[in-house]
Amino acid sequence: MLLTDYLLFAMIAAMQVGSPGPSTILLVNNALVHGPGRAILILTGDLVAIAGLAACSLLGVGALLEANPTVFMAVKVAGAVYLLWLGMQQFRLAQRVRISSDQPTTLQSIPVLWRQSFMVGLSNPKAILFFSSLLPQFVSAQQVSHISAFLPSYCYLCLSN
């Protein structure tokens, strides 16, 4: 990779990391509700999901989806069903829970919050667009065999998102 390409990639990655998204909102919410220590522990779910998206990009899942329209349609339908399920859960929660100021809030368990963080990271549109659309523009056919050259950038992105 040319130095100019690497610097452009690093600049775009820094802009992506610097703009708040769903993962940032979830982290701030968890820090306010559960405290900073638990929020950092819960954040590992998001980091594992981002690392998974990066690995999928490196393994060429985008090319697989482009080559197989049936698989791509199945992924789109699964995503739509997941979004509908999330929306229905929010409506049910809003109807079921009417929290007044005198009721203490109950803390959810770490595994439940970790799973929520993982799902937010996995469905984060910024990360999906970054790893599926932008990153392949910086990888040439000769560099595919040298994947380890990209690991520092991926590790940086995973730790700072």
Side-chain angles (χ1 to χ4, degrees):
M1 176 182 283
L2 297 173
L3 179 61
T4 55
D5 290 343
Y6 186 79
L7 291 175
L8 180 61
F9 174 76
M11 187 173 63
I12 292 170
M15 288 174 27
Q16 187 264 347
V17 168
S19 63
S23 297
T24 305
I25 293 169
L26 183 66
L27 175 64
V28 170
N29 180 56
N30 285 334
L32 291 173
V33 173
H34 304 287
R38 284 177 61 129
I40 297 287
L41 183 62
I42 296 164
L43 177 65
T44 60
D46 182 54
L47 296 177
V48 169
I50 297 295
L53 289 173
C56 287
S57 177
L58 284 173
L59 294 172
V61 171
L64 172 74
L65 293 176
E66 186 178 340
N68 297 315
T70 306
V71 174
F72 182 56
M73 181 58 77
V75 170
K76 288 193 316 187
V77 169
V81 169
Y82 173 66
L83 288 174
L84 286 172
W85 180 79
L86 284 177
M88 290 171 44
Q89 293 298 323
Q90 289 301 315
F91 281 126
R92 285 188 198 146
L93 183 65
Q95 291 173 354
R96 192 176 52 204
V97 179
R98 301 282 186 216
I99 299 177
S100 65
S101 61
D102 59 335
Q103 288 180 328
T105 59
T106 58
L107 295 178
Q108 292 178 320
S109 69
I110 293 288
V112 169
L113 293 169
W114 192 92
R115 189 170 45 249
Q116 180 186 26
S117 176
F118 179 80
M119 292 307 292
V120 167
L122 200 59
S123 62
N124 186 343
K126 282 189 345 176
I128 292 170
L129 286 174
F130 181 82
F131 288 120
S132 65
S133 300
L134 184 66
L135 182 66
Q137 304 302 317
F138 291 95
V139 180
S140 68
Q142 296 84 14
Q143 293 169 328
V144 171
S145 62
H146 303 309
I147 296 293
S148 62
F150 288 99
L151 289 179
S153 300
Y154 277 103
C155 291
Y156 169 75
L157 288 172
C158 291
L159 293 174
S160 58
N161 191 8

